[in-house]
Every structure is written in C-alpha cells, then in structure tokens.
Amino acid sequence: MTAAPATPALPTTRPAGCPFDPPATYAALRETAPTSKVRCPAGMDAWLVTRYADVRAVLADRTMSSRGASSVHANPNADLDFEVSPGSIIQLDGADHSRLRKKVIPEFTVRRVEALRGYVRSLVDSHLDAMLAGPGRADLVQEFALPIPSLVICELLGVPYADRAHFQRQSATLVSTDATREEGEQAYDSLSGYLAELFVAKQRNPQDDLFSRLSVAGLTMEELVVLGLSLLVAGHETTANMIALSTLVLLEHPGQREVVLASPERAVEELLRYLSVVQWGVLRQATSDVQVGSHRVRAGEWLVAALNSANRDEEVFPGADKLDFDRESPRTHVAFGFGAHQCVGQQLARVELQEALTGLFRRVPELRLGVGREELEFKHNTLVYGVRELPVAWG
C-alpha cells in the first residue's frame, strides 16, 4: 500500500529578493487548486482559499464563524479550544458581534474621520519638523511611522500617550508568532489590567473620547477591556506597518511619488492592495456544510481566507504583481477584509496613510534609503507584515 501524501504546510516563504510579494505558491494554487488543504502552524488542517471571488464569498458568509480570528492558525502555541471572550469584536458572531459593532461604528464614519484629518496633518508636520531638525538621517519607523498612528488612536480612544511604550511593547508580543503561550498570556494580562484601570477612571471622570463613551454604554468591564484592547492594538499596529512599508515601496519606485502627491486616495488604495500586510490571512470555521469553489467544506472545518493572495488575483487585478497607480477600481481590494467583520477603522487608516505619505514626500522630496535593501529586517514572524527599522537619509 502507498501512504497517503502528507498535507502541505501553509505557504509562508516569500520569494527571494521580493519582500513585497506574498508566497509564490499562491499564484500556482489560484490556477490549479484554489481551495486546498494545508497544515497550519497551530497544528490543525484548514482549507486555504486563494482566489479573490472565493475569499470574498467566505468572508461574506454568515455561517462562517470568526471565532479563530485573528489568525490564531499562524501561532504554533495557539489554543484552538478557547472560549471567545465577551467583547471580542473580531471573534464574536451574529447578534453579539452586531451589538458591539454598533457601539463603535459611529466613531469611525467618513464624516467623523474627516474631522480628524487636520489633527493627523498637524502630527505629520510636527514629526517631520523634528526629523528635519536632526542630522539628516533617521529610523522612519521609530520617528515617524509608529508615533503618528499611536498618537491618533490615543487621541481618539482617550489613552494617555505617555503610556504608549507600554502598549506598543505588549502589542508587539501579541502579534508575534514567535512568542510563547506564556509570553502571550502575560502581554494580554498586562494590557487587560491597564485598560481595566483606565475604564474605571473614565467612569469616574468621563472625557470627550471613545473610551469614556464606551464606559457608560452598558457594557460589562470584561467586554470593555476586550473591546478596548482590540481597538488599541489594531489602531496603531497595522497602520504603522503600512506607513513604513509604503515608504519603502516608494523609495524603490521614485517615479511614482508624484502620483502619490497628485492622487493620494487612489495611490493609497493600490498600496493597500499591493502590500496586504495581514500576511497570514483571516481564519474562519464553518458552522454548517458549505460549498467553497469546487469543494464541499464540512461543518467544523477551518478555512484560511488568504487576503494577500486574493489581492494578487490576475482575474480581478490584471498585472497584479505590479504596483500600478492607474489601476481601475483599486478600492475593490480585500486588505481590510470583507463582510460583517470588515475593519471598522479602515477610514481612519486611509486618512493616516494619505496624510503621512503626502506630507513625507512633499517636504522631503530627496528622501532615500539609508542602507542597502539587503540590510533591512522584515517581519516574517508577525501577524502584521512590515519592516522592523527603516533607516532613511536626505539632503
């Protein structure tokens, strides 16, 4: 008898010398096996969904549970039998999820976010002032990409910016796939304790911020803490990585900078599609039998919706591996997910990216990479892809 072939591992290796591209295996899978079984780092098998249409269908399907979000399949130390915490806006389903989302969605409407644009622009200018007053060299991650979204989310939520080092450090542990289970639990407990104290203070002395409004919104303390943690971590981690990685792309495509300055909205959408920094995809679990592409997925089985593969689908985005700011309908990408769990803060992320990139290249047109590209260290072991440091120079 011939042994059954082993289930292939979830593709994780990016093409050599191509840090902006997802694993090359995705392109082949989209052609030959767009929904196929893989073995995930967490130890379970899942259906890997790679085509754009199928990814959107999975994320829009209300019978698909999001209890495994965010990307627990990518963590070798994951506990797959966990109970979803009250307040987890990214993991709860149905009425529980809708109730929480209705509490926060008014804070992130286009109108509310546009009202913050002037504040974001002032932050960009002040950080550029500080950079330009220096020696002509800087780490763009620490001096620009990370502090701007951190300041914005602190302002919006009502978190003291003086505490940023604490929540940034704990957030980095939470999104690392190399952290042990003990390290992850310690980081979670540390942030949870911090937020519990903050919410008690908000209840006693409410201010004009989101956490103050949530503190009197009828949620339990556990719900407040878990919801607050989700908003705080997501509010700076993804945007900071997108700012730095987008800057690196534009340093390597200097001819595209003028397009960014002339049409930042279109340019940002294409960068979101091209980079797709949620690098391990979005995990779902079928709650009933369902057809995905040509495969019948059974109730209880896991699925990984590969966002970065969907955003490189040639049937939807011709020339998908090329950065193309003239692309038609770039906003059809799934970088923010799709369906009921689509990122609630996507409008804020767009404004931050638009203001950061236009401000940077308008005021520092001679910006260049301060080291060889081969010296950069990329975040291959985190849920959100990016670059750890980005040395730049000017003048």
Side-chain angles (χ1 to χ4, degrees):
M1 294 180 63
T2 302
T7 304
L10 177 74
T12 58
T13 304
R14 293 174 181 262
C18 302
F20 308 126
D21 293 340
T25 307
Y26 285 147
L29 289 175
R30 287 195 300 269
E31 291 293 326
T32 61
T35 303
S36 56
K37 276 287 181 72
V38 295
R39 173 61 56 88
C40 297
M44 84 289 199
D45 289 349
W47 291 99
L48 178 63
V49 185
T50 55
R51 283 184 182 168
Y52 176 89
D54 294 335
V55 165
R56 280 178 47 120
V58 166
L59 297 181
D61 190 339
R62 295 300 183 99
T63 70
M64 294 286 182
S65 172
S66 66
R67 66 179 298 270
S70 59
S71 306
V72 298
H73 62 291
N75 193 333
N77 305 297
D79 176 10
L80 299 175
D81 296 323
F82 63 90
E83 184 176 343
V84 176
S85 300
S88 181
I89 193 171
I90 64 171
Q91 293 177 307
L92 289 169
D93 299 309
D96 290 332
H97 169 258
S98 297
R99 178 175 62 90
L100 286 176
R101 194 172 177 95
K102 287 177 182 177
K103 301 285 187 184
V104 298
I105 198 69
E107 307 284 342
F108 295 97
T109 62
V110 172
R111 182 178 178 181
R112 292 292 293 271
V113 170
E114 281 297 324
L116 282 171
R117 187 181 289 274
Y119 173 69
V120 176
R121 187 172 298 163
S122 69
L123 291 178
V124 170
D125 283 335
S126 65
H127 282 76
L128 288 175
D129 288 342
M131 276 179 50
L132 294 173
R137 302 179 66 86
D139 172 13
L140 199 83
V141 171
Q142 291 299 321
E143 298 188 36
F144 187 75
L146 185 57
I148 290 171
S150 295
L151 275 162
V152 172
I153 202 63
C154 285
E155 174 74 11
L156 184 68
L157 299 182
V159 176
Y161 186 61
D163 298 336
R164 68 193 182 280
H166 173 68
F167 72 72
Q168 287 170 358
R169 183 170 57 253
Q170 306 305 330
S171 297
T173 300
L174 289 176
V175 301
S176 172
T177 58
D178 285 345
T180 65
R181 182 178 296 182
E182 182 181 27
E183 290 170 336
E185 290 174 350
Q186 288 175 348
Y188 184 90
D189 290 344
S190 177
L191 272 179
S192 297
Y194 168 77
L195 289 174
E197 293 179 2
L198 183 62
F199 275 114
V200 169
K202 296 291 183 183
Q203 289 171 340
R204 292 172 178 168
N205 184 27
Q207 307 292 322
D208 184 17
D209 57 61
L210 175 54
F211 277 2
S212 290
R213 287 186 281 276
L214 286 177
S215 70
V216 294
L219 300 177
T220 67
M221 181 55 71
E222 184 177 9
E223 288 177 321
L224 285 170
V225 167
V226 176
L227 176 58
L229 191 151
S230 300
L231 295 173
L232 182 61
V233 174
H236 75 275
E237 190 71 36
T238 51
T239 308
N241 282 289
M242 268 299 302
I243 291 172
L245 208 57
S246 297
T247 300
L248 178 57
V249 168
L250 292 168
L251 291 177
E252 297 196 355
H253 296 79
Q256 300 280 29
R257 298 181 195 179
E258 291 302 319
V259 182
V260 174
L261 295 177
S263 184
E265 295 86 359
R266 175 176 288 272
V268 162
E269 296 307 319
E270 174 65 355
L271 287 164
L272 286 163
R273 179 203 70 84
Y274 182 69
L275 295 173
S276 301
V277 295
V278 180
Q279 65 174 336
W280 303 116
V282 177
L283 189 64
R284 294 289 185 265
Q285 187 175 38
T287 61
S288 60
D289 292 359
V290 63
Q291 192 77 17
V292 179
S294 60
H295 289 275
R296 191 69 175 171
V297 176
R298 302 299 179 185
E301 291 188 310
W302 296 96
L303 304 96
V304 177
L307 305 182
N308 50 4
S309 176
N311 282 336
R312 296 296 185 97
D313 192 332
E314 292 277 346
E315 292 188 4
V316 182
F317 307 105
D321 288 334
K322 177 184 177 183
L323 182 71
D324 181 5
F325 289 146
D326 293 325
R327 189 178 303 281
E328 294 184 7
S329 303
R331 199 161 177 163
T332 55
H333 63 76
V334 290
F336 292 117
F338 190 70
H341 282 82
Q342 193 172 35
C343 175
V344 70
Q346 60 181 287
Q347 301 303 338
L348 181 60
R350 287 184 166 103
V351 166
E352 291 176 287
L353 285 164
Q354 292 163 13
E355 293 299 327
L357 295 175
T358 55
L360 179 63
F361 287 107
R362 180 176 293 115
R363 294 191 57 186
V364 200
E366 71 276 25
L367 192 73
R368 64 184 184 276
L369 191 59
V371 297
R373 215 267 298 272
E374 69 279 359
E375 297 181 49
L376 298 178
E377 183 182 356
F378 291 88
K379 296 181 177 180
H380 296 291
N381 62 338
T382 60
L383 302 182
V384 182
Y385 187 62
V387 61
R388 297 193 185 279
E389 296 179 349
L390 186 59
V392 294
W394 59 91

